[in-house]
């Protein structure tokens, strides 16, 4: 890894607990699918993020919503816009909106007052245990959700897709009905079942999603399901996703500060950069920066 490789971090988070309400960050003593959140249940603002980046040449970043209370979603976007104006990042904002809401157009109008808005994320799946509790996978059969996805496409906004492998086939069926929608698959589809059958399901789901020409895949968040990961454990996953999507449709993200629970920023980015170090320069540059720049128009 060279500190001089240009990086676009296509998936990170910031939060100010005095400015917006984040229920999961306020809820003490509750273990999440990615582990014990206690160490990150505090402010994580631009200065903290820049400190974690250190001397790596992260030239642009994309902020992804992270469970803000729905009533504070536009407030979060406004705060991120002001953060960008003060610190130069994030360069793109992917906000939260309830795509099934009757007032969706008004929500999107409010978000659109901030010029770094690029897209929306409404999580479809986190983990089997949490999905049973939240029921978010029900979005896939909700006609209002499909209508909401079409509203994003009509506005030229993208959709960040977070889900688990068992939901991939049904999601691909749904997204085929919105062919103009740009979609970014978060965390390489969240592989979490590392058995032979589990990986086969993940691989099959990626192949199905990859047939959607407007969909890219982000390599990020491996530590959420494998906190003791090593470069040797994530290498085959990363290379398989790259092979399935092609080298022009892959971006990378730190998932900080969530993945800070198990790794340093340098270790995460260094591992991803090492995995592709033998790629031709043009392909390496696309994965590290170009794909995210093209997709998020930054």
């Amino acid at each position: 890894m060279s500190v001089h490789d240009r990086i676009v971090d296509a998936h990170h988070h910031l939060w100010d607990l005095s400015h917006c309400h984040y229920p999961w960050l306020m809820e003490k003593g509750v273990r999440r699918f990615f582990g014990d959140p206690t160490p990150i249940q505090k402010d994580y603002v631009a200065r903290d993020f820049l400190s974690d980046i250190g001397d790596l040449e992260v030239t642009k970043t994309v902020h992804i919503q992270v469970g803000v209370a729905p009533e504070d979603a536009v407030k979060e976007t406004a705060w991120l816009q002001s953060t960008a104006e003060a610190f130069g990042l994030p360069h793109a904002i992917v906000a939260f909106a309830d795509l099934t809401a009757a007032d969706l157009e008004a929500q999107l109008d409010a978000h659109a007052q901030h010029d770094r808005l690029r897209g929306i994320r409404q999580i479809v799946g986190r983990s089997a245990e949490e999905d049973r509790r939240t029921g978010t996978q029900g979005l896939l059969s909700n006609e209002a959700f499909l209508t909401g996805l079409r509203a994003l496409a009509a506005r030229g906004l993208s959709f960040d897709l977070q889900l688990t492998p068992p939901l991939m086939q049904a999601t691909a069926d749904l997204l085929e009905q919105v062919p103009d929608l740009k979609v970014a698959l978060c965390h390489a589809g969240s592989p979490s079942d590392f058995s032979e059958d589990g990986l086969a399901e993940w691989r099959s789901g990626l192949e199905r999603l990859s047939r959607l020409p407007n969909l890219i895949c982000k390599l990020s968040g491996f530590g959420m399901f494998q906190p003791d990961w090593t470069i040797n454990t994530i290498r085959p996953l990363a290379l398989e996703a790259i092979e399935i999507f092609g080298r022009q449709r892959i971006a990378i993200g730190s998932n900080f500060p969530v993945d800070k629970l198990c790794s340093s920023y340098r270790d995460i980015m260094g591992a991803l950069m090492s995995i592709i170090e033998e790629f031709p320069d043009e392909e390496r540059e696309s994965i590290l920066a170009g794909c995210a720049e093209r997709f998020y128009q930054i």
Side-chain angles (χ1 to χ4, degrees), residues 26-41:
M26 311 296 189
E27 190 176 36
K28 302 299 184 182
V30 178
R31 189 173 181 84
R32 301 296 304 279
F33 70 92
F34 52 79
D36 179 4
T38 301
I40 58 172
Q41 288 182 310

Side-chain angles (χ1 to χ4, degrees), residues 76-151:
E76 179 187 49
T77 299
W79 174 71
L80 290 164
Q81 180 77 33
S82 67
T83 296
E85 291 165 359
F87 293 92
L89 63 85
H91 297 75
I93 299 168
V94 176
F96 173 80
D98 180 359
L99 299 187
T100 70
D103 68 343
L104 174 62
E105 294 292 351
Q107 291 183 50
L108 297 179
D109 285 343
H111 282 299
Q113 298 302 307
H114 307 287
D115 64 16
R116 298 215 175 186
L117 178 74
R118 293 294 185 273
I120 296 296
R121 180 172 78 160
Q122 184 173 13
I123 293 177
V124 175
R126 297 169 177 83
S127 69
E129 180 182 353
E130 291 204 14
D131 292 348
R132 281 191 293 271
R133 179 170 57 83
T134 64
T136 53
Q137 68 269 33
L139 291 168
L140 297 175
S141 57
N142 187 333
E143 189 67 28
F145 184 64
L146 175 58
T147 299
L149 293 173
R150 288 173 171 155

Side-chain angles (χ1 to χ4, degrees), residues 203-219:
R203 186 178 305 113
S204 176
L206 285 191
E207 289 171 348
R208 179 78 170 81
L209 288 169
S210 74
R211 296 177 203 145
L212 300 166
N214 292 329
L215 192 147
I216 69 166
C217 177
K218 294 194 282 191
L219 303 181

Side-chain angles (χ1 to χ4, degrees), residues 2 37 74 213:
S2 168
V74 174

Side-chain angles (χ1 to χ4, degrees), residues 249-268:
R249 295 169 62 195
I250 295 286
I252 65 168
S254 66
N255 196 37
F256 251 51
V258 177
D259 271 29
K260 189 175 182 176
L261 291 169
C262 59
S263 308
S264 72
Y265 195 91
R266 175 175 284 272
D267 284 347
I268 290 169

